[in-house]
Amino acid sequence: SSTKLPAGDYTIIASIAENPKYFANVSTLKFSIIKLNSTVNITVGDSYVYGSEFNITVENNTAVNVTINGKPVSVKADGTLDIDSTTMAATHYVVIATIYENAKYYGSVATREFNITKLASRVNITIEPNETHVYGDKFTIRVENDTVCVVTINGDEYNVTGGVVDVDTTRLPAGDYTVIASIPENAKYLPNSSTVKFSIIKLNSTVNITVGDSYVYGSEFNITVENN
């Protein structure tokens, strides 16, 4: 049985030693046992969004070693590898399945590549109730975002609490302002930003003088000045 012989070339020699009845004789036959071709195939999609779960399937006919970006991974008995992309960085990956040559099989290698892409971040700014305010007003900047963002007003950073920045115009001089809410790129999200503008206008001053038209010398009278 060939299962007890490693692959290779063999020579069979059958010999009959001379005896009183027969002359000696020899017969020779050569044969080879060749290794089986190993087969391995990897199935995986081209791209997945960060946070998704997916499978890598490895089909093989003998023991196989699998690596992802050079790190060994375990394949289940059914040939699948479960991937939770939240445990991986958003980047490019190379899967290599290797069957090393052994007594029975020739070696073979399969390679597949896939990407884990970052999510598009979302950020939006609104100013309530409007975008023009008189000095002394208080108003709200509302920020809608799905990851950590930084809010600045004319370059100065403001704290966001519960998605809201409360603005007291008595702490800002009259003028034009630009609000920027920016999401820096991180392991999960792509960068994004949103911009809105508002103005703080000065109050109109008022002044009024009250005085009579004519007074007799020596009399006393008042001049009243009303101002804000």
Side-chain angles (χ1 to χ4, degrees), residues 115-185:
N115 293 300
I116 295 177
T117 60
K118 295 182 180 183
L119 296 167
S121 57
R122 178 183 60 87
V123 61
N124 185 57
I125 313 173
T126 54
I127 294 180
E128 300 174 357
N130 54 62
E131 295 175 1
T132 302
H133 300 273
V134 175
Y135 181 87
D137 285 351
K138 292 182 179 181
F139 63 94
T140 296
I141 299 172
R142 191 169 300 279
V143 182
E144 298 175 286
N145 57 295
D146 48 17
T147 186
V148 176
C149 75
V150 177
V151 174
T152 61
I153 300 177
N154 277 16
D156 295 324
E157 188 171 330
Y158 281 72
N159 291 327
V160 181
T161 304
V164 168
V165 178
D166 292 318
V167 179
D168 181 356
T169 60
T170 60
R171 299 180 180 180
L172 296 172
D176 296 322
Y177 291 86
T178 300
V179 184
I180 301 175
S182 58
I183 294 176
E185 185 170 1

Side-chain angles (χ1 to χ4, degrees), residues 15-130:
S15 60
I16 298 173
E18 186 173 354
N19 57 44
K21 182 177 180 179
Y22 291 98
F23 289 108
N25 200 354
V26 176
S27 179
T28 302
L29 180 67
K30 295 180 181 290
F31 71 91
S32 298
I33 298 175
I34 60 173
K35 295 181 181 182
L36 296 168
N37 289 321
S38 60
T39 60
V40 61
N41 183 59
I42 303 169
T43 303
V44 64
D46 294 326
S47 183
Y48 300 91
V49 176
Y50 181 91
S52 61
E53 296 181 354
F54 58 95
N55 292 324
I56 297 173
T57 302
V58 180
E59 299 171 285
N60 54 291
N61 62 350
T62 186
V64 65
N65 293 276
V66 179
T67 62
I68 298 178
N69 279 14
K71 295 182 179 180
V73 293
S74 298
V75 179
K76 296 190 295 185
D78 63 359
T80 60
L81 174 64
D82 296 327
I83 301 294
D84 177 2
S85 64
T86 61
T87 64
M88 305 171 73
T91 188
H92 180 73
Y93 290 91
V94 178
V95 186
I96 300 176
T98 305
I99 294 175
Y100 295 104
E101 185 172 357
N102 55 39
K104 183 177 180 180
Y105 290 95
Y106 289 112
S108 59
V109 176
T111 302
R112 283 296 306 273
E113 300 181 17
F114 68 93
N115 293 300
I116 295 177
T117 60
K118 295 182 180 183
L119 296 167
S121 57
R122 178 183 60 87
V123 61
N124 185 57
I125 313 173
T126 54
I127 294 180
E128 300 174 357
N130 54 62

